[in-house]
């Protein structure tokens, strides 16, 4: 599963976490289906919404008449549940080598998870955290708003149009495109949302330093 183009050039890479570097689907399903049951919602419909977004933003979509204060309170409980549950959290295929290849190159983590959850999940998957990290605490608006990706680019000192985003969710792909960035989709979920390039996993991505500080990305 690779779509053209097979080579891209960038100056920085912005990496989502869940579904992109870390497979946390098992725990996300457990926590959100429990939440759906508590609120009398269809679990399958809930799972269509929650990937890529901060929890309070998903809750606002699913329970539109509920005060946001309740969503933030509920989300804090959800984050605690997720941070305590690492059963089944593993690295996406190729993630270790992919991150190792980025050592010394401009890249950042841009995740809807908070600091505690992102730190725990990356550790559970045996992955090194990038030095530059944009988490839930860093932004005022959740994906699909582009704020997180724009902040990541600014932290790295790179223009948005020179960044390539790696994402798996519809909300994340939408955010990357809204930021004016090229988006590489990871896995079948990403394929439903029109990324610029689609790969099955990170074994199909190779990053090579190029002249003038550029990065060349090879796919397939």
């Amino acid at each position: 599963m690779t779509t053209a183009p097979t080579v891209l050039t960038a100056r920085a890479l912005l990496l989502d976490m869940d579904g992109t570097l870390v497979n946390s689907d098992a725990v996300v399903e457990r926590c959100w289906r429990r939440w759906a049951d508590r609120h009398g919602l269809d679990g399958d419909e809930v799972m269509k919404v929650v990937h890529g977004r901060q929890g309070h933003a998903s809750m606002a979509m699913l329970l539109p008449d509920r005060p946001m204060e309740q969503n933030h309170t509920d989300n804090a409980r959800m984050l605690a549940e997720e941070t305590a549950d690492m059963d089944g959290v593993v690295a996406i295929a190729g993630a270790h080598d992919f991150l190792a290849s980025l050592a010394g190159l401009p890249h950042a983590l841009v995740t809807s998870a908070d600091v505690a959850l992102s730190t725990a999940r990356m550790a559970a998957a045996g992955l090194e955290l990038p030095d530059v990290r944009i988490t839930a605490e860093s932004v005022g608006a959740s994906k699909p708003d582009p704020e997180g990706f724009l902040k990541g680019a600014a932290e790295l000192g790179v223009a948005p149009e020179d960044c390539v985003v790696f994402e798996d969710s519809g909300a994340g792909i939408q955010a990357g495109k809204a930021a004016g960035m090229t988006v590489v989709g990871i896995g079948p979920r990403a394929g439903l949302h029109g990324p610029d390039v689609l790969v099955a996993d990170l074994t199909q991505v190779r990053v090579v330093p190029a002249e003038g500080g550029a990065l060349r990305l090879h796919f397939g």
Side-chain angles (χ1 to χ4, degrees):
M1 177 177 45
T2 307
T3 61
T6 54
V7 179
L8 289 174
T9 301
R11 301 195 76 81
L13 307 183
L14 303 177
L15 315 173
D16 174 52
M17 182 182 71
D18 293 302
T20 300
L21 297 173
V22 173
N23 183 342
S24 56
D25 281 0
V27 61
V28 171
E29 288 259 350
R30 281 195 294 274
C31 291
W32 277 100
R33 285 184 183 277
R34 280 199 301 267
W35 183 88
D37 286 345
R38 287 198 295 268
H39 294 281
L41 299 174
D42 182 276
D44 291 341
E45 293 305 310
V46 167
M47 294 314 301
K48 290 176 184 176
V49 170
V50 300
H51 291 291
R53 290 181 172 83
Q54 291 187 39
H56 62 78
S58 297
M59 292 170 186
M61 292 179 67
L62 292 160
L63 297 173
D65 297 327
R66 192 165 80 155
M68 275 308 295
E69 184 180 351
Q70 280 185 253
N71 294 335
H72 283 286
T73 300
D74 222 358
N75 185 47
R77 188 182 304 117
M78 173 75 74
L79 285 168
E81 278 184 41
E82 289 186 294
T83 303
D85 185 355
M86 292 294 134
D87 188 24
V89 174
V90 296
I92 293 289
H96 292 94
D97 291 343
F98 175 72
L99 284 174
S101 76
L102 300 184
L105 302 177
H107 68 289
L109 188 73
V110 181
T111 176
S112 292
D114 64 3
V115 169
L117 182 57
S118 57
T119 301
R121 281 191 179 158
M122 290 289 280
L127 299 174
E128 292 284 332
L129 277 165
D131 291 338
V132 178
R133 301 184 287 276
I134 306 297
T135 62
E137 294 92 341
S138 311
V139 299
S142 169
K143 299 172 185 175
D145 191 282
E147 181 185 358
F149 287 125
L150 292 171
K151 282 201 167 179
E155 287 269 345
L156 295 170
V158 176
E161 62 269 22
D162 291 327
C163 294
V164 171
V165 165
F166 284 73
E167 264 287 0
D168 74 299
S169 71
I173 290 168
Q174 190 177 335
K177 292 196 169 209
M181 300 171 181
T182 301
V183 180
V184 175
I186 307 294
R189 187 159 55 222
L192 304 173
H193 302 286
D196 298 292
V197 179
L198 178 65
V199 294
D201 56 46
L202 291 167
T203 65
Q204 297 187 331
V205 185
R206 188 164 57 93
V207 181
V208 181
E211 291 180 11
L215 309 176
R216 202 170 299 282
L217 284 65
H218 299 264
F219 302 98

